[in-house]
């Protein structure tokens, strides 16, 4: 090589004249790359830069890797490995334009490197430049004529170009070499279907079935072909033959179910689906998607029944996958079966503790079940795993509030407010719960401030309206405000016995005894098992001068709750006490 050697290469991938004459749209690009002889010092430097570039590439430091390979090219413009490495980096980044430039240079300099051509082909495929992909595959096949997979790629490229006859010829040649394999079959099927030649497509599959009469998947191919071409009866006949061969194949069952659905036979279709769901080799993700579709129809009883049954089947087919129990629990939760939903969520967590949504659902159930000890324990474990989830602090705070540990509850609830809470409703609930906790600590000023903040965020928060009003009435403070808030809560949520009891008690405090009696009777009608409400009704009757009615209701309260010493004193002395 002379000191100033110029390499001229005109490749068909870059536009060869003979090919360009056939394809007028193909542009010709001439690559002119100047090279030079390297000194020993330059050679050593290139080698060091190359290994540095590879090292940075391995650790995903693309900037430094690119810099190293570009420095090589400044010293040695004909260094094809550097062009190749740069092409790979840009291809991985999704920068196909630069990847193409560097790959073309690599393959221009080193025309017999299979890996360079393969990268070039991948780039053309990503760019959907099927003409250049087709030529590239020709070059690859010349380099590796024994690798039949490249012939499949070429047939696919021809198909994408619309050259179906040439593609079909390749598949026919491949059949002569390999036999009628799945890959040959599928490639040829696409061509037949594109040409609208259903008979040939069917004939291929029937030949395959004749050659392999016990192979279920070929029946499925044929059934799918019939179904895709609006021939459901023929498809069903073939699928049933497949079912006779393998009654547990879930894909056969699902295919049959699909046809039965179109034939308005939903129950028969559902039986097929159930059997498919029992098979572990049917993807759990696909099963989950199918069950979730029922959620849109909730609370329809039939949809709930089917979702529950199918999700329970999934837990048996996939007993070690937390998704199965999480889904089952979600269905039970939607159904209102919180006890069994809780058990299923706990099972899901025993399999995988790292799914926050499962913890959240479990804690929600524990909150409304009123088991404060369990709520606290679960919530604190969840916080150890997800310390940045503010809802967990709320749940634990509520647990301590239920447990009457007001100071700890205040701490957790205030911790919740340290986060940026997106939900206005939750933020209002936190302030409302703080109002309850401060009330428990007898910090009445802080309690009122917390309730006021809750109502400023959410003026129609019935929980805050009711509790704020009730605690004001207990303290005989601002009863007019309490009355307004209480009647508003009752207007927003009718027939809530607790809200009705609060309003009746405020009326009692305001000495509006007749009205108080009517509201307390409404409360008892909606909740006939509350000792507090019967006691309050007795208090009202006493103020109305009816001691007998007072005693009657106090005794009803005593039958429900015998742990109230003040109530016992009222009964014994037949007199109202504050």
């Amino acid at each position: 090589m002379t000191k100033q050697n110029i390499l001229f290469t005109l490749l068909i991938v870059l536009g060869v004249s003979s090919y360009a004459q056939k394809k007028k749209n193909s542009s010709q690009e001439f690559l002119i790359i100047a090279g030079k002889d390297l000194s020993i010092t330059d050679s050593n430097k290139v080698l060091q830069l190359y290994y540095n570039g590879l090292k940075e590439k391995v650790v995903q430091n693309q900037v430094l890797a690119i810099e190293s390979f570009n420095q090589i090219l400044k010293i040695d413009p004909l260094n094809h490995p550097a062009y190749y490495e740069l092409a790979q980096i840009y291809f991985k980044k999704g920068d196909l334009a630069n990847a193409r430039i560097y790959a073309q240079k690599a393959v221009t300099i080193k025309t017999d490197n299979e890996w360079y051509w393969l990268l070039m082909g991948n780039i053309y495929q990503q760019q959907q430049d099927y003409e250049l992909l087709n030529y590239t595959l020709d070059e690859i096949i010349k380099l590796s004529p024994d690798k039949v997979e490249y012939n499949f790629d070429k047939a696919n490229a021809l198909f994408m170009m619309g050259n179906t006859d040439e593609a079909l010829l390749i598949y026919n040649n491949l059949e002569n070499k390999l036999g009628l394999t799945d890959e040959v079959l599928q490639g040829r099927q696409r061509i037949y279907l594109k040409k609208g030649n259903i008979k040939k497509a069917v004939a291929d599959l029937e030949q395959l079935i004749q050659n392999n009469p016990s192979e279920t998947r070929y029946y499925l191919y044929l059934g799918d072909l019939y179904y895709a071409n609006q021939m459901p009866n023929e498809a069903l006949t073939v699928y049933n033959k497949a079912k006779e061969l393998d009654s547990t194949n879930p894909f056969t069952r699902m295919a049959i179910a699909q046809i039965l659905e179109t034939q308005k036979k939903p129950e028969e279709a559902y039986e097929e689906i159930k059997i498919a769901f029992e098979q572990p080799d049917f993807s759990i993700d696909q099963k989950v998607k199918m069950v979730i579709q029922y959620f849109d129809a909730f609370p329809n009883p039939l949809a709930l029944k089917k979702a529950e049954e199918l999700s329970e089947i999934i837990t048996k087919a996939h007993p070690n996958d937390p998704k199965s129990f999480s889904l089952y629990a979600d269905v039970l939760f939607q159904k209102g079966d919180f006890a069994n939903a809780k058990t299923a969520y706990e099972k899901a967590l025993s399999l995988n503790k790292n799914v926050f949504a499962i913890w959240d659902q479990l804690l929600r159930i524990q909150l409304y079940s009123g088991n404060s000890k369990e709520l606290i324990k679960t919530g604190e474990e969840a916080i150890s795993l997800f310390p940045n989830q503010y809802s967990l602090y709320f749940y634990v705070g509520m647990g301590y509030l239920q447990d009457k540990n007001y100071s700890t509850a205040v701490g957790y609830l205030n911790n919740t407010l340290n986060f940026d809470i997106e939900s206005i409703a939750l933020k209002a609930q936190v302030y409302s719960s703080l109002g309850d906790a401060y009330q428990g600590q007898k910090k009445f000023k802080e309690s009122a401030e917390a309730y006021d903040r809750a109502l400023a965020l959410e003026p129609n928060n019935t929980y805050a309206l009711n509790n704020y009003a009730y605690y004001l009435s207990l303290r005989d403070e601002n009863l007019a405000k309490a009355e307004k808030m209480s009647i508003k809560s009752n207007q927003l949520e009718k027939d809530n016995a607790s809200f009705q009891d609060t309003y009746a008690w405020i009326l009692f405090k305001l000495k509006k005894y007749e009205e108080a009696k009517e509201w307390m009777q409404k409360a008892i009608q909606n909740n006939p098992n509350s000792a507090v409400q019967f006691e309050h009704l007795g208090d009202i009757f006493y103020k109305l001068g009816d001691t007998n009615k007072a005693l009657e209701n106090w005794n009803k309260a005593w039958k429900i709750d015998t742990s109230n010493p003040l109530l016992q004193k009222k009964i014994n002395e037949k007199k109202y006490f504050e």
Side-chain angles (χ1 to χ4, degrees), residues 500-511:
Q500 290 167 335
D501 174 47
T502 296
Y503 187 52
W505 191 245
I506 293 168
L507 291 170
F508 176 84
K509 289 283 188 173
L510 290 168
K511 299 182 180 180

PDB file of all heavy atoms in Angstrom, residues 500-511:
ATOM      1  N   GLN A 500     -77.855  10.457  61.873  1.00  0.00           N
ATOM      2  CA  GLN A 500     -79.164  10.796  62.449  1.00  0.00           C
ATOM      3  C   GLN A 500     -79.071  10.891  63.973  1.00  0.00           C
ATOM      4  O   GLN A 500     -79.673  11.779  64.593  1.00  0.00           O
ATOM      5  CB  GLN A 500     -80.195   9.742  62.045  1.00  0.00           C
ATOM      6  CG  GLN A 500     -80.559   9.800  60.563  1.00  0.00           C
ATOM      7  CD  GLN A 500     -81.336   8.589  60.086  1.00  0.00           C
ATOM      8  OE1 GLN A 500     -81.244   7.501  60.680  1.00  0.00           O
ATOM      9  NE2 GLN A 500     -82.108   8.744  59.017  1.00  0.00           N
ATOM     10  N   ASP A 501     -78.293   9.991  64.571  1.00  0.00           N
ATOM     11  CA  ASP A 501     -78.084  10.018  66.025  1.00  0.00           C
ATOM     12  C   ASP A 501     -77.403  11.322  66.443  1.00  0.00           C
ATOM     13  O   ASP A 501     -77.789  11.963  67.427  1.00  0.00           O
ATOM     14  CB  ASP A 501     -77.233   8.814  66.432  1.00  0.00           C
ATOM     15  CG  ASP A 501     -76.848   8.855  67.897  1.00  0.00           C
ATOM     16  OD1 ASP A 501     -77.724   9.113  68.734  1.00  0.00           O
ATOM     17  OD2 ASP A 501     -75.659   8.619  68.201  1.00  0.00           O
ATOM     18  N   THR A 502     -76.381  11.737  65.664  1.00  0.00           N
ATOM     19  CA  THR A 502     -75.679  12.991  65.969  1.00  0.00           C
ATOM     20  C   THR A 502     -76.638  14.176  65.925  1.00  0.00           C
ATOM     21  O   THR A 502     -76.656  15.025  66.835  1.00  0.00           O
ATOM     22  CB  THR A 502     -74.530  13.217  64.961  1.00  0.00           C
ATOM     23  OG1 THR A 502     -73.572  12.170  65.110  1.00  0.00           O
ATOM     24  CG2 THR A 502     -73.857  14.566  65.184  1.00  0.00           C
ATOM     25  N   TYR A 503     -77.443  14.237  64.879  1.00  0.00           N
ATOM     26  CA  TYR A 503     -78.368  15.367  64.739  1.00  0.00           C
ATOM     27  C   TYR A 503     -79.403  15.374  65.865  1.00  0.00           C
ATOM     28  O   TYR A 503     -79.712  16.429  66.445  1.00  0.00           O
ATOM     29  CB  TYR A 503     -79.064  15.316  63.378  1.00  0.00           C
ATOM     30  CG  TYR A 503     -79.906  16.536  63.095  1.00  0.00           C
ATOM     31  CD1 TYR A 503     -79.375  17.814  63.210  1.00  0.00           C
ATOM     32  CD2 TYR A 503     -81.246  16.414  62.719  1.00  0.00           C
ATOM     33  CE1 TYR A 503     -80.144  18.945  62.955  1.00  0.00           C
ATOM     34  CE2 TYR A 503     -82.019  17.537  62.461  1.00  0.00           C
ATOM     35  CZ  TYR A 503     -81.462  18.802  62.583  1.00  0.00           C
ATOM     36  OH  TYR A 503     -82.234  19.909  62.341  1.00  0.00           O
ATOM     37  N   ALA A 504     -79.884  14.181  66.221  1.00  0.00           N
ATOM     38  CA  ALA A 504     -80.850  14.086  67.318  1.00  0.00           C
ATOM     39  C   ALA A 504     -80.215  14.566  68.625  1.00  0.00           C
ATOM     40  O   ALA A 504     -80.865  15.265  69.426  1.00  0.00           O
ATOM     41  CB  ALA A 504     -81.335  12.640  67.458  1.00  0.00           C
ATOM     42  N   TRP A 505     -78.972  14.215  68.810  1.00  0.00           N
ATOM     43  CA  TRP A 505     -78.304  14.600  70.055  1.00  0.00           C
ATOM     44  C   TRP A 505     -78.063  16.103  70.117  1.00  0.00           C
ATOM     45  O   TRP A 505     -78.161  16.716  71.183  1.00  0.00           O
ATOM     46  CB  TRP A 505     -76.994  13.836  70.205  1.00  0.00           C
ATOM     47  CG  TRP A 505     -76.399  13.978  71.580  1.00  0.00           C
ATOM     48  CD1 TRP A 505     -75.235  14.578  71.910  1.00  0.00           C
ATOM     49  CD2 TRP A 505     -76.991  13.545  72.808  1.00  0.00           C
ATOM     50  NE1 TRP A 505     -75.030  14.540  73.274  1.00  0.00           N
ATOM     51  CE2 TRP A 505     -76.109  13.895  73.845  1.00  0.00           C
ATOM     52  CE3 TRP A 505     -78.180  12.896  73.123  1.00  0.00           C
ATOM     53  CZ2 TRP A 505     -76.368  13.617  75.174  1.00  0.00           C
ATOM     54  CZ3 TRP A 505     -78.441  12.610  74.448  1.00  0.00           C
ATOM     55  CH2 TRP A 505     -77.544  12.972  75.463  1.00  0.00           C
ATOM     56  N   ILE A 506     -77.755  16.711  68.974  1.00  0.00           N
ATOM     57  CA  ILE A 506     -77.593  18.168  68.943  1.00  0.00           C
ATOM     58  C   ILE A 506     -78.930  18.848  69.251  1.00  0.00           C
ATOM     59  O   ILE A 506     -78.990  19.827  70.013  1.00  0.00           O
ATOM     60  CB  ILE A 506     -77.048  18.619  67.568  1.00  0.00           C
ATOM     61  CG1 ILE A 506     -75.615  18.110  67.384  1.00  0.00           C
ATOM     62  CG2 ILE A 506     -77.104  20.141  67.430  1.00  0.00           C
ATOM     63  CD1 ILE A 506     -75.087  18.249  65.970  1.00  0.00           C
ATOM     64  N   LEU A 507     -80.003  18.340  68.687  1.00  0.00           N
ATOM     65  CA  LEU A 507     -81.340  18.880  68.978  1.00  0.00           C
ATOM     66  C   LEU A 507     -81.654  18.715  70.463  1.00  0.00           C
ATOM     67  O   LEU A 507     -82.264  19.602  71.082  1.00  0.00           O
ATOM     68  CB  LEU A 507     -82.390  18.157  68.128  1.00  0.00           C
ATOM     69  CG  LEU A 507     -82.332  18.438  66.615  1.00  0.00           C
ATOM     70  CD1 LEU A 507     -83.250  17.473  65.866  1.00  0.00           C
ATOM     71  CD2 LEU A 507     -82.727  19.886  66.318  1.00  0.00           C
ATOM     72  N   PHE A 508     -81.225  17.598  71.023  1.00  0.00           N
ATOM     73  CA  PHE A 508     -81.403  17.373  72.462  1.00  0.00           C
ATOM     74  C   PHE A 508     -80.683  18.458  73.258  1.00  0.00           C
ATOM     75  O   PHE A 508     -81.236  19.032  74.210  1.00  0.00           O
ATOM     76  CB  PHE A 508     -80.868  15.986  72.819  1.00  0.00           C
ATOM     77  CG  PHE A 508     -80.911  15.656  74.292  1.00  0.00           C
ATOM     78  CD1 PHE A 508     -82.066  15.152  74.882  1.00  0.00           C
ATOM     79  CD2 PHE A 508     -79.797  15.858  75.107  1.00  0.00           C
ATOM     80  CE1 PHE A 508     -82.107  14.848  76.244  1.00  0.00           C
ATOM     81  CE2 PHE A 508     -79.827  15.560  76.458  1.00  0.00           C
ATOM     82  CZ  PHE A 508     -80.990  15.042  77.036  1.00  0.00           C
ATOM     83  N   LYS A 509     -79.446  18.751  72.862  1.00  0.00           N
ATOM     84  CA  LYS A 509     -78.662  19.769  73.550  1.00  0.00           C
ATOM     85  C   LYS A 509     -79.317  21.153  73.403  1.00  0.00           C
ATOM     86  O   LYS A 509     -79.200  22.005  74.282  1.00  0.00           O
ATOM     87  CB  LYS A 509     -77.237  19.804  72.991  1.00  0.00           C
ATOM     88  CG  LYS A 509     -76.394  18.602  73.370  1.00  0.00           C
ATOM     89  CD  LYS A 509     -75.912  18.703  74.800  1.00  0.00           C
ATOM     90  CE  LYS A 509     -74.922  17.616  75.139  1.00  0.00           C
ATOM     91  NZ  LYS A 509     -74.330  17.806  76.473  1.00  0.00           N
ATOM     92  N   LEU A 510     -79.972  21.339  72.255  1.00  0.00           N
ATOM     93  CA  LEU A 510     -80.662  22.606  72.005  1.00  0.00           C
ATOM     94  C   LEU A 510     -82.065  22.621  72.629  1.00  0.00           C
ATOM     95  O   LEU A 510     -82.832  23.570  72.433  1.00  0.00           O
ATOM     96  CB  LEU A 510     -80.766  22.857  70.490  1.00  0.00           C
ATOM     97  CG  LEU A 510     -79.448  23.172  69.772  1.00  0.00           C
ATOM     98  CD1 LEU A 510     -79.624  23.096  68.261  1.00  0.00           C
ATOM     99  CD2 LEU A 510     -78.936  24.551  70.178  1.00  0.00           C
ATOM    100  N   LYS A 511     -82.402  21.559  73.350  1.00  0.00           N
ATOM    101  CA  LYS A 511     -83.686  21.400  74.051  1.00  0.00           C
ATOM    102  C   LYS A 511     -84.872  21.340  73.084  1.00  0.00           C
ATOM    103  O   LYS A 511     -86.010  21.675  73.438  1.00  0.00           O
ATOM    104  CB  LYS A 511     -83.893  22.531  75.072  1.00  0.00           C
ATOM    105  CG  LYS A 511     -82.809  22.533  76.150  1.00  0.00           C
ATOM    106  CD  LYS A 511     -83.027  23.614  77.190  1.00  0.00           C
ATOM    107  CE  LYS A 511     -81.912  23.578  78.235  1.00  0.00           C
ATOM    108  NZ  LYS A 511     -82.077  24.616  79.266  1.00  0.00           N
TER     109      LYS A 511
END
